[in-house]
Amino acid sequence: MRHLFSCPLRWSDMDAFGHVNNTVFVRYLEEARIDFMWRPAPGETEASLAGGSVVARHEIDYLRPLVHRHEPVTVELWVTKVAAAATTIAYEVKDEDVVYARASTVVVPYDLDAGRPRRLTPSERAFLQQYLEEDGPGGDGATGRQKGRAVTV
């Protein structure tokens, strides 16, 4: 199963070259990830990782320029790994027939009061498992990069 997030584009997202700036993509990923993680699992009252989490790693492959328009872009996300104290989330920033970027984020559950990482709770693990796909679309895992193909922008 995958989570879809409709992300609006803002005029200020563009840079001097007329396309969405590379750093803005990280914001799009964050908005989609927060929308996903703050949704309660079916039958649960707490959201996944709502108790606290930190980003340990981002990886982004930029595939096509994205320019401002009034229609939102879709951020599709799914889980590629669930470990005892971390999860990896993969994304595609896309329209129906164009993928602008593929990315992955390693998220670590975090005890905000204690100031340290913690293990996933059983309900968090169950929620994340619903979205688990161990390999990205046509590729090599978390980012779904095409094996043996260079991508130019």
Side-chain angles (χ1 to χ4, degrees):
M1 180 166 47
R2 294 191 176 189
H3 178 75
L4 299 177
F5 177 73
S6 182
C7 187
L9 299 157
R10 295 163 291 272
W11 182 256
S12 62
D13 292 349
M14 287 192 303
D15 61 19
F17 300 110
H19 56 74
V20 172
N21 186 275
N22 64 309
T23 61
V24 174
F25 277 84
V26 176
R27 214 175 311 135
Y28 294 167
L29 303 179
E30 176 185 54
E31 290 180 27
R33 186 174 63 254
I34 296 302
D35 184 68
F36 168 69
M37 291 182 357
W38 279 84
R39 291 182 181 272
E44 298 287 332
T45 57
E46 69 180 58
S48 174
L49 299 170
S53 64
V54 294
V55 170
R57 176 183 172 85
H58 282 302
E59 183 178 339
I60 303 174
D61 292 325
Y62 300 98
L63 306 174
R64 303 271 184 277
L66 175 60
V67 297
H68 180 267
R69 78 278 178 101
H70 295 289
E71 299 81 29
V73 68
T74 298
V75 181
E76 184 172 351
L77 69 84
W78 62 99
V79 175
T80 59
K81 183 177 181 182
V82 179
T87 190
T88 303
I89 299 172
Y91 317 78
E92 285 186 341
V93 179
K94 63 192 229 174
D95 289 326
E96 191 170 314
D97 57 347
V98 177
V99 177
Y100 300 102
R102 288 193 177 103
S104 68
T105 302
V106 176
V107 179
V108 175
Y110 199 77
D111 183 329
L112 298 172
D113 293 332
R116 61 183 167 86
R118 62 175 177 82
R119 292 192 174 277
L120 289 166
T121 66
S123 64
E124 289 170 337
R125 178 177 290 282
F127 175 79
L128 294 168
Q129 291 282 355
Q130 295 175 64
Y131 294 88
L132 182 63
E133 293 180 28
E134 293 184 9
D135 195 16
D140 67 350
T143 61
R145 263 180 279 153
Q146 297 293 318
K147 292 181 182 177
R149 288 184 55 195
V151 179
T152 57
V153 178

